[in-house]
Amino acid sequence: MKLYIRALMKIIEFYVRKHPYLSTFLFVWCAGSIYIGVTSSWGICAGMIITVMAAVWMIWKAWIVLSDFGSSRAKTERKLKKQREREILLDYVKQGLK
């Protein structure tokens, strides 16, 4: 179990380093939501966190669709970039777990 937690922490660290501004925004938003949950309602807390995560995901998907719109080359390049990123992430996690 300890190995899985370390691997998860390495994955989170990888994406925090890759997207520092988005990570900071989400951390501050979640901290504020948890504060609201402690002081008033956990339902509002969960709703705020889920809403922001869904909004970020939808904006990300819209960005991908618009960048790939009508271009098979862009779509292929995005898939290759995603594959390279997975390999880099795997190497990063392997190095961190040694």
Side-chain angles (χ1 to χ4, degrees), residues 2-3 8 15 19 30 39 49 59 62 67 70 80 83 95:
K2 193 175 184 180
L3 179 66
L8 179 64
Y15 283 109
H19 305 287
C30 288
T39 58
I49 292 172
I59 291 169
S67 67
L80 289 173
Q83 184 179 8
Q95 292 296 325

Side-chain angles (χ1 to χ4, degrees), residues 9-19 85 88-89 92-93:
M9 293 307 292
K10 279 302 197 184
I11 291 170
I12 291 171
E13 180 183 340
F14 177 80
Y15 283 109
V16 165
R17 288 179 187 220
K18 186 174 179 184
H19 305 287
E85 182 180 318
I88 292 170
L89 174 62
Y92 185 78
V93 171

Side-chain angles (χ1 to χ4, degrees), residues 34-84:
I34 290 172
Y35 175 75
I36 289 172
V38 169
T39 58
S40 63
S41 169
W42 286 106
I44 294 172
C45 169
M48 288 174 65
I49 292 172
I50 291 169
T51 302
V52 167
M53 295 293 186
V56 168
W57 180 78
M58 288 187 332
I59 291 169
W60 175 64
K61 284 294 185 183
W63 184 267
I64 289 173
V65 168
L66 291 174
S67 67
D68 291 348
F69 192 67
S71 174
S72 61
R73 181 174 159 245
K75 193 173 192 177
T76 305
E77 286 177 2
R78 182 180 53 82
K79 287 182 180 181
L80 289 173
K81 182 180 173 187
K82 188 175 181 179
Q83 184 179 8
R84 284 191 303 266

Side-chain angles (χ1 to χ4, degrees), residues 24-39:
T24 304
F25 165 73
L26 291 175
F27 175 76
V28 170
W29 184 269
C30 288
S33 299
I34 290 172
Y35 175 75
I36 289 172
V38 169
T39 58

